[in-house]
Amino acid sequence: MTATMDTPNKATSSALNSKVPEGDIATMWENHKFSMKLVNPNNKRKFTIIVVGTGLAGSSAAATLGELGYNVKAFTFHDSPRRAHSIAAQGGINAAKNYQNDGDSVHRLFYDTVKGGDYRSREANVHRLAEVSVNIIDQCAAQGVPFARDYGGLLDNRSFGGAQVSRTFYARGQTGQQLLLGAYSALNRQIQLGNVEMHNRKEMLDLVKKDGETCGIVVRDLLTGEVESHSAHAVVLATGGYGNVYYLSTNAMMCNVTAAWRAHRRGAFFANPCYTQIHPTCIPASEDHQSKLTLMSESLRNDGRIWVPTEFDDDRQAGDIPEGERDYYLERKYPAFGNLVPRDVASRNAKTVVDEGRGVGPLKNGVYLDFADAIARDGRATIEAKYGNLFDMYANITGEDPYKTPMRIYPATHYTMGGLWVDYHLMTTVPGTYAIGEANFSDHGANRLGASALMQGLADGYFVLPYTIGDYLADKLGDDVVSTDDPVFKTAEAEIADQTKMWLSLNGTKSPEHYHRELGKVVVDRIGMARDKVGLEKAIDEITSIEEEFKANVRVKGDATSMNTELEKVFRVADFFELAKVKARDALVREESCGGHFRVESQTEEGEALRDDENFSHVAAWEWHDADTVQTRHEEQLEFNNVKLSQRSYK
């Protein structure tokens, strides 16, 4: 059934079929792989697959599908796949190898992930993720990824938030970059062999369907302005998240929601848009005109201690504040996990102490992350070996030496747990369109544990999608791709041409950047770390008002026949406006707190997130109708047969 805006429904919508297999969760994936249809090696070359995005999820998927023998077309709006934002991931990648012999297991990683997501993820997907995590490390080590090693030469591990074991593999503070180089090398091999056709500087602007099924995409060449169509038997979206709807975030400025959103407008349901992760370990904003924020890895919380002065509005330097006048608030409130509580918990607590007037730094908008004890205990050389490049980055940005004075950190928008709804096969509600990595909603619930983004991206690309996509393609054997001369492609191209002409003809007075910043202010204020009914209702009105002005008064310089970054931007900002309204509605309907979604009206006496499992133990998936109609909200009920529902506690 479909839920209304007023009355959440406890039956899964008939429009959502998760395709979760029957059986014991521990053997479900292995058994299901045997039951899926296969495409034999000689027939794989008869299929064409488009992969949009070349970060970890996209590069690993394109490389693997090419290795299997499929004809792959890979698209990136960068000049090289190496520019993908996956390089910015710093701290590590989780895997249940149990090298430390400290009690880790596939089941424990599964449990920690479900609990960390505040019991709002699909159990079957999470268990599969935990299972294949052990293969990812072997794959990447074989590609030459320089993981850190311990004294005996084995791969080293460190801890991350939300876990009491060490399961995070890392390459100093450059893990994402090194993993992407591994995937990039595998992708380049397939390009050289002719199995992958690489399209750089092309941005997807539409998904094309024929007779209800996917048949290709429309892209714009960002150098020439040319709009062109590409056909395929299936399309894989690996285009990341939507964190830049907040304007200020840790995402690269080009990160956007357009590819996923255009798929949403063509029928792909968008799930849990209100679930956004605010990362606790970022450099605080230093002025009003910043365009992005800088992430400092969560791995720093292994050795750094977080604190603020006990006194309000304390102007003393950190070194002048004696130990007895410091509040190590995470260690005080959560003794079992201390500074390694999950990101949503750490972020809300940082906001609380800053709002109380105990913030530090010139703008009083941060908390301290202090390494003095770790340096005294282990020596500077040890800390430098673990985090040297991160310390250098911090010093270059702030002009402060973190070896001598504590870092200043504060939460910032980072990762999005919501995304396109997918079933167990990673297919969206549009047959033949898949979403992998951060572009889908499937694995993290309402809060992602640190070091799990890289794990999911590579799990989807290397080990899940290559199995599941064959189940769909097997029935297409003998079907040719739809010609790009077909009316469905020509109609889509014409619609983009009309949109382009409209934006260029407005000749308003404000830039797309101006409206993006104005939108971001509303989203941060109303749909940030804390939300309430009144604020969310105001958000919908305010976003709508700014959007109307944007559509009437935006100015896009240049033309459509050459490189035009303003034209790129206006399309992306238009999609952010539509997303922001759904995000606010999703947060408004979900009258509970869970993970990164914190409703002020729903909290425990101690200020922790208070779920409402009776009414909201479901995925909310929104169906697009048209620009003037509110989306329909569907529900997929979540079942917890292997992890007991309970109030999260990290004390």
Side-chain angles (χ1 to χ4, degrees):
M1 295 179 65
T2 300
T4 68
M5 290 286 287
D6 300 317
T7 309
N9 200 298
K10 295 181 182 179
T12 292
S13 168
S14 59
L16 300 175
N17 178 6
S18 67
K19 296 182 182 177
V20 173
E22 299 290 334
D24 184 356
I25 198 168
T27 56
M28 181 183 292
W29 174 235
E30 283 301 315
N31 291 340
H32 189 59
K33 284 193 291 185
F34 182 76
S35 69
M36 284 188 290
K37 300 170 188 172
L38 296 176
V39 179
N40 84 49
N42 289 327
N43 285 335
K44 286 188 173 74
R45 65 175 65 97
K46 300 175 182 178
F47 292 106
T48 298
I49 302 172
I50 285 173
V51 178
V52 186
T54 55
L56 281 178
S59 286
S60 60
T64 306
L65 294 170
E67 181 74 30
L68 288 172
Y70 292 107
N71 294 308
V72 180
K73 294 182 179 180
F75 291 81
T76 176
F77 59 34
H78 296 293
D79 57 355
S80 165
R82 286 184 59 183
R83 302 288 189 189
H85 193 59
S86 296
I87 65 166
Q90 300 162 337
I93 176 171
N94 287 331
K97 286 286 196 181
N98 194 32
Y99 282 170
Q100 307 297 314
N101 197 28
D102 57 359
D104 201 13
S105 64
V106 166
H107 184 79
R108 188 174 293 279
L109 176 53
F110 160 66
Y111 170 81
D112 286 346
T113 305
V114 173
K115 177 183 176 183
D118 217 351
Y119 305 94
R120 290 294 177 261
S121 51
R122 189 190 289 151
E123 277 195 343
N125 288 64
V126 178
H127 197 279
R128 177 176 64 189
L129 175 66
E131 287 178 62
V132 303
S133 71
V134 298
N135 300 326
I136 295 170
I137 304 305
D138 297 337
Q139 172 93 1
C140 295
Q143 290 172 339
V145 174
F147 288 118
R149 294 182 179 268
D150 64 17
Y151 177 78
L154 297 176
L155 299 185
D156 199 10
N157 294 114
R158 57 190 177 198
S159 298
F160 257 60
Q164 291 180 302
V165 296
S166 294
R167 64 163 67 103
T168 304
F169 295 79
Y170 64 98
R172 297 186 74 191
Q174 305 171 345
T175 312
Q177 182 182 37
Q178 298 302 325
L179 290 172
L180 185 59
L181 288 173
Y184 175 63
S185 66
L187 175 61
N188 267 350
R189 179 174 181 271
Q190 295 306 313
I191 295 172
Q192 179 67 27
L193 291 171
N195 297 329
V196 175
E197 183 181 289
M198 191 68 229
H199 295 264
N200 298 330
R201 301 294 283 153
K202 303 286 178 70
E203 181 164 28
M204 174 181 158
L205 293 181
D206 210 349
L207 180 74
V208 184
K209 299 190 303 182
K210 183 169 185 179
D211 299 328
E213 295 193 275
T214 302
C215 63
I217 62 173
V218 178
V219 301
R220 180 175 183 268
D221 187 307
L222 298 183
L223 298 180
T224 67
E226 182 181 358
V227 173
E228 57 192 40
S229 293
H230 295 266
S231 61
H233 293 94
V235 171
V236 180
L237 301 180
T239 50
Y242 50 88
N244 271 354
V245 69
Y246 286 82
Y247 187 76
L248 278 180
S249 81
T250 66
N251 288 236
M253 291 181 66
M254 284 184 68
C255 293
N256 63 81
V257 75
T258 289
W261 197 254
R262 298 308 170 89
H264 173 55
R265 291 173 65 114
R266 294 298 184 186
F269 290 9
F270 206 97
N272 299 334
C274 76
Y275 290 167
T276 306
Q277 182 165 87
I278 312 295
H279 196 296
T281 318
C282 305
I283 298 177
S286 59
E287 59 178 25
D288 292 335
H289 299 289
Q290 280 185 238
S291 55
K292 76 176 300 294
L293 296 171
T294 302
L295 172 70
M296 299 304 298
S297 171
E298 181 180 323
S299 63
L300 295 169
R301 291 198 276 146
N302 271 284
D303 290 297
R305 299 181 69 194
I306 296 173
W307 63 274
V308 292
T310 56
E311 298 296 323
F312 299 103
D313 200 23
D314 194 327
D315 289 324
R316 291 177 292 176
Q317 296 296 313
D320 296 330
I321 301 174
E323 191 73 15
E325 297 178 28
R326 301 180 178 187
D327 181 12
Y328 296 91
Y329 56 90
L330 293 179
E331 297 174 29
R332 170 173 55 83
K333 294 179 67 174
Y334 309 98
F337 282 75
N339 295 300
L340 288 175
V341 293
R343 291 174 174 179
D344 61 315
V345 177
S347 293
R348 280 198 299 276
N349 278 272
K351 181 180 188 300
T352 297
V353 296
V354 170
D355 289 350
E356 288 173 349
R358 295 195 285 155
V360 301
L363 301 181
K364 303 290 185 183
N365 62 343
V367 300
Y368 286 129
L369 180 61
D370 195 339
F371 289 85
D373 287 353
I375 292 172
R377 180 185 66 241
D378 301 327
R380 172 169 171 155
T382 298
I383 299 303
E384 192 168 353
K386 288 183 178 180
Y387 313 114
N389 63 302
L390 297 173
F391 277 47
D392 292 344
M393 181 174 71
Y394 181 87
N396 289 334
I397 292 172
T398 66
E400 301 170 6
D401 184 352
Y403 292 104
K404 297 178 180 178
T405 61
M407 290 183 180
R408 291 178 292 109
I409 59 169
Y410 192 68
T413 303
H414 178 56
Y415 189 90
T416 54
M417 286 75 68
L420 293 175
W421 184 92
V422 293
D423 61 20
Y424 190 67
H425 288 187
L426 304 182
M427 189 189 289
T428 69
T429 48
V430 176
T433 295
Y434 294 78
I436 61 176
E438 192 180 359
N440 75 35
F441 87 102
S442 65
D443 292 348
H444 306 298
N447 174 64
R448 177 177 66 81
L449 292 182
S452 287
L454 305 184
M455 176 175 62
Q456 186 208 348
L458 293 180
D460 288 354
Y462 281 138
F463 298 110
V464 179
L465 179 75
Y467 279 100
T468 62
I469 200 168
D471 189 70
Y472 172 77
L473 293 175
D475 290 334
K476 304 294 180 185
L477 189 61
D479 294 351
D480 293 328
V481 295
V482 176
S483 169
T484 54
D485 291 327
D486 191 281
V488 292
F489 283 105
K490 296 306 177 185
T491 299
E493 291 177 13
E495 289 177 2
I496 291 172
D498 289 343
Q499 293 167 16
T500 302
K501 184 178 180 180
M502 181 269 293
W503 291 124
L504 291 172
S505 67
L506 287 179
N507 199 30
T509 62
K510 301 289 179 62
S511 69
E513 185 80 0
H514 167 81
Y515 288 106
H516 189 186
R517 187 185 293 273
E518 292 301 303
L519 170 64
K521 290 176 182 177
V522 175
V523 179
V524 167
D525 289 343
R526 307 295 190 190
I527 329 174
M529 276 189 278
R531 300 103 183 255
D532 60 59
K533 184 176 187 293
V534 173
L536 291 168
E537 290 172 340
K538 288 181 178 178
I540 296 171
D541 292 338
E542 291 169 355
I543 292 166
T544 302
S545 177
I546 300 171
E547 182 185 28
E548 290 174 354
E549 182 188 335
F550 163 73
K551 290 180 176 179
N553 192 47
V554 71
R555 181 177 183 180
V556 181
K557 299 178 181 180
D559 57 42
T561 59
S562 61
M563 183 175 178
N564 188 341
T565 56
E566 290 289 282
L567 184 58
E568 296 171 31
K569 181 81 176 183
V570 78
F571 275 111
R572 298 167 187 167
V573 175
D575 294 331
F576 277 138
F577 271 110
E578 292 180 352
L579 165 70
K581 288 184 290 186
V582 183
K583 182 179 177 67
R585 292 188 184 108
D586 191 46
L588 183 61
V589 175
R590 189 170 285 278
E591 295 178 330
E592 66 162 353
S593 292
C594 56
H597 169 63
F598 189 77
R599 284 289 295 265
V600 174
E601 305 94 331
S602 183
Q603 54 184 303
T604 67
E605 292 181 358
E606 296 177 320
E608 304 294 345
L610 180 62
R611 298 194 318 273
D612 179 356
D613 294 329
E614 177 66 22
N615 293 302
F616 294 102
S617 187
H618 60 248
V619 176
W622 295 80
E623 177 186 7
W624 175 269
H625 298 293
D626 58 62
D628 299 319
T629 305
V630 174
Q631 285 98 324
T632 300
R633 184 178 186 272
H634 298 266
E635 295 175 3
E636 176 199 345
Q637 294 302 311
L638 295 170
E639 298 181 4
F640 295 92
N641 301 314
N642 300 276
V643 177
K644 181 181 178 181
L645 283 168
S646 62
Q647 175 65 34
R648 279 196 311 172
S649 174
Y650 293 96
K651 296 181 181 298

